[in-house]
Amino acid sequence: MALRLSRQGDRALSIKLDTISKNFGGFTALGNINLEIEPGEFLALLGPSGSGKTTLLRIIAGLEFPDTGRVYYDGDDITDLKVADRGVGFVFQHYALFRHMTVADNVAFGLTVRKRRDRPAKSVIQARVQELLDLVQLGHLGKRYPAQLSGGQRQRVALARALAVEPRLLLLDEPFGALDARVRKDLRRWLRELHDSVGLTSIFVTHDQDEALELADRVVVMDHGVIEQIDTPQKIYDEPASAFVFDFVGESNQVAVTIAGGEARLFDRTLPLPAGTTLPGDGPARLFFRPHDAEIVADDKAGLAATVTLTRPNSGSIRVEGKLDGLDRLVEIDVPVEGAPQVGERIIVRPTRVKLYAGRAEA
Amino acid sequence: MRNGATSESRLARATIMTLGLGFLGLFLVMPLLVVFAQALASGIGAYADAVLEPDALAAMKLTLTVAAISVPLNIAFGVAAAWAITKFDFPGKSILITFIDLPFSVSPVVSGLIYVLLFGAQGWLGPWLAEHDVQIIFAVPGIVLATVFVTFPFVARELIPLMAEQGRDDEEAALSLGASGWQAFWHATLPNIRWGLLYGVLLCNARAMGEFGAVSVVSGHIRGETNTMPLHVEILYNEYNFVAAFAVASLLALLALVTLVLKSFLEWRYDYHGKGTGH
């Protein structure tokens, strides 16, 4: 895909958030957020609804103001600067296109509202709009109205409109949330290419872990207004910093155990753990493992006993669902097609890679 | 033949329709016809005389003047109030919403009396006004004030639900693109609310021209000076000048009919614009 926009790499913005807090009438949306974002970085804010991710994005944009804490762009304190003066591109979840304006007028908006002395000539604006529409592959639809476009097309118009003002920072609120799965996947890849070629700093909010892991350089996992982990997608997936992150990112199995004397115990029995597993301190703990980090073994002392309740194909392997003995919990593992168990069969599940976190499961 | 769960027998349907249409005919259509019949009872010449008589013309002029002042005032107020209420969070918001409804819940007589108490000769500000030779009560300013008060919910009431439903995204998008607050209003908000706004203005105008109670209290009924059309109709009627009374009344009835037609048109546009935009 040819992207013709000139690189602005050296213009990309660095951002620093210093102890940002925000309350909405007694509800703590954000509590003491510290975050530094590198110039040119593609960052994902990932979390469930109510985790504060959108509020954080809006504070970075200047659409919302923090109760305490400061926001820095390239080291400058811009906390009190209004959104109109920050020079950011913001893409809204529901596009927020001006429906009474043509696509071209929408894209031109950021240029046409400038004061006369800063406003480019009409012909310059026209050329710029055409360039941007070509960039988002909608060069032929400039005369249409937003209502005449599909969701994916509208989202691209919104992007072109945000890029028209040559922002040094692109902020996207659930950019693919309202699109169907196929369009979403295409747009994702396209957005990543766009980010790389334009060379600005981008931050997007999502509740979709796949989206965050696939697109971002770094992922910020949030829950209840605090940051749980900031890391590369690989590290987020392989080394979740908390039980919440393990549970929220990727598929997982969870078993409540007790740590005592350097061992994990379940029903007064020692649970053999893979070599190299780090144990938390004595007390209740939560053991997590991914479906693909487990195998079926014969030795009934080597793992967790379960009864198979369901099997189904899962991209090249068989997903086995079983009910754990003595626990009101299901376990899900992926096993090779060869020798996969039948429904009703008793199996022993041995996790090959686990993470343990101190504490009890919530509710 | 049965059409489904909600279909009724033919008899029931006929009864309900007769009731509905009968009611409509008796209380709406017939009075309207009577107005025009009475107005033209002595022929078109008498009708023209009544309508073109100087006091009638003065009343018309006053009514138009009052509407021309109070409607723009209430457009400004209504848009500002709806904007503030739906786009910002601030303390006292619910109180403001309640106060906007006040003119609807209070009797028009009371609305008029408020101004007499405030600006009348014996009112709070009366002595001061008299000293500075400003006449509000029994003069045009009082009529305008009372009309503004009575009609002030119309525009705001129409816009608040509309703007609440549309959210803040469009304005925020405009602002994030560098627009000033005024540009955001002009380019993002106003186009989204224009049909709703026109609808509110139409109702506001109809009421401004038709208001009787509150205006009656503050007007003083000075012929040719402080009589609006509704007041003029009443005076003529009280003088048993039925033809003239109904002739002027027929103009007000015509205004109502025009309002209804425009209202239907706006509702149609409104619906048409509300749908199919992906919102």
Side-chain angles (χ1 to χ4, degrees), chain B residues 217-247:
Chain B
V217 176
V218 297
S219 142
H221 306 272
I222 307 164
R223 271 198 178 198
E225 281 179 42
T226 63
N227 261 350
T228 60
M229 282 170 76
L231 300 181
H232 188 62
V233 171
E234 196 212 12
I235 289 181
L236 292 172
Y237 184 81
N238 286 344
E239 291 169 347
Y240 304 101
N241 192 348
F242 294 138
V243 169
F246 280 104

Side-chain angles (χ1 to χ4, degrees), chain A residues 58 63 83-84 88 90 92 96-101 109-110 113 147 154 161 165, chain B residues 166 169-170 172-179 183 187-188 191-192 194 276-278:
Chain A
R58 290 170 59 85
L63 290 169
V83 62
V88 299
F90 200 102
F92 292 81
L97 295 178
F98 309 125
R99 52 196 133 148
H100 59 283
M101 289 183 202
F109 186 82
V113 294
R154 282 183 216 174
R161 185 178 68 175
V165 294
Chain B
Q166 288 175 342
D169 276 10
D170 283 14
E172 288 183 346
L175 293 173
S176 78
L177 291 164
Q183 284 172 321
H187 295 295
N192 283 345
R194 55 189 163 182
T277 53

Side-chain angles (χ1 to χ4, degrees), chain A residues 49-89:
Chain A
S49 56
S51 61
K53 56 191 192 303
T54 294
T55 305
L56 188 60
L57 189 81
R58 290 170 59 85
I59 285 175
I60 296 173
L63 290 169
E64 208 89 64
F65 294 92
D67 295 339
T68 65
R70 314 301 298 172
V71 183
Y72 300 90
Y73 283 4
D74 278 346
D76 298 331
D77 185 343
I78 48 88
T79 315
D80 301 319
L81 214 55
K82 283 183 295 184
V83 62
D85 303 320
R86 289 199 189 185
V88 299

Side-chain angles (χ1 to χ4, degrees), chain A residues 84-149:
Chain A
D85 303 320
R86 289 199 189 185
V88 299
F90 200 102
V91 177
F92 292 81
Q93 182 176 4
H94 299 291
Y95 326 123
L97 295 178
F98 309 125
R99 52 196 133 148
H100 59 283
M101 289 183 202
T102 63
V103 165
D105 287 343
N106 263 282
V107 176
F109 186 82
L111 301 172
T112 50
V113 294
R114 284 191 185 166
K115 290 199 184 72
R116 183 156 299 163
R117 68 187 139 82
D118 303 327
R119 197 189 307 150
K122 236 181 188 154
S123 58
V124 177
I125 294 181
Q126 266 175 11
R128 173 100 184 125
V129 167
Q130 193 55 48
E131 185 189 8
L132 282 158
L133 285 177
D134 288 341
L135 176 78
V136 299
Q137 296 165 311
L138 296 171
H140 54 297
L141 295 181
K143 293 210 162 50
R144 295 262 185 100
Y145 282 88
Q148 298 167 303
L149 303 182

Side-chain angles (χ1 to χ4, degrees), chain A residues 192-245:
Chain A
R192 177 73 227 198
E193 277 181 52
L194 183 87
H195 167 88
D196 290 342
S197 70
V198 178
L200 30 63
T201 307
S202 304
I203 306 174
F204 72 104
V205 156
T206 182
H207 63 268
D208 181 337
Q209 31 138 338
D210 289 338
E211 209 163 279
L213 297 186
E214 183 187 319
L215 266 178
D217 297 324
R218 282 198 305 161
V219 178
V220 177
V221 186
M222 298 184 64
D223 186 36
H224 290 117
V226 297
I227 293 179
E228 293 274 333
Q229 188 172 3
I230 311 170
D231 250 319
T232 61
Q234 194 68 49
K235 279 212 164 161
I236 295 274
Y237 189 81
D238 288 343
E239 294 162 43
S242 66
F244 170 80
V245 178

Side-chain angles (χ1 to χ4, degrees), chain A residues 260-334:
Chain A
E263 286 182 326
R265 302 184 64 83
L266 179 66
F267 304 133
D268 303 325
R269 201 160 64 72
T270 299
L271 196 67
L273 296 175
T277 305
T278 350
L279 291 181
D282 284 2
R286 302 160 76 181
L287 179 146
F288 284 88
F289 61 97
R290 305 246 183 247
H292 53 78
D293 286 335
E295 59 189 11
I296 295 176
V297 294
D299 179 2
D300 67 356
K301 289 195 177 49
L304 303 153
T307 310
V308 177
T309 53
L310 183 80
T311 65
R312 61 180 168 86
N314 182 31
S315 53
S317 54
I318 298 289
R319 168 64 54 93
V320 177
E321 250 180 60
K323 198 189 156 305
L324 287 171
D325 281 9
L327 289 171
D328 193 20
R329 240 181 204 293
L330 288 176
V331 65
E332 285 184 295
I333 59 169
D334 291 331

Side-chain angles (χ1 to χ4, degrees), chain B residues 97-122:
Chain B
I97 296 175
T98 313
F99 272 114
I100 287 173
D101 277 345
L102 188 67
F104 276 170
S105 49
V106 85
S107 161
V109 175
V110 178
S111 312
L113 282 174
I114 296 168
Y115 290 103
V116 174
L117 286 176
L118 263 181
F119 302 117
Q122 269 74 48

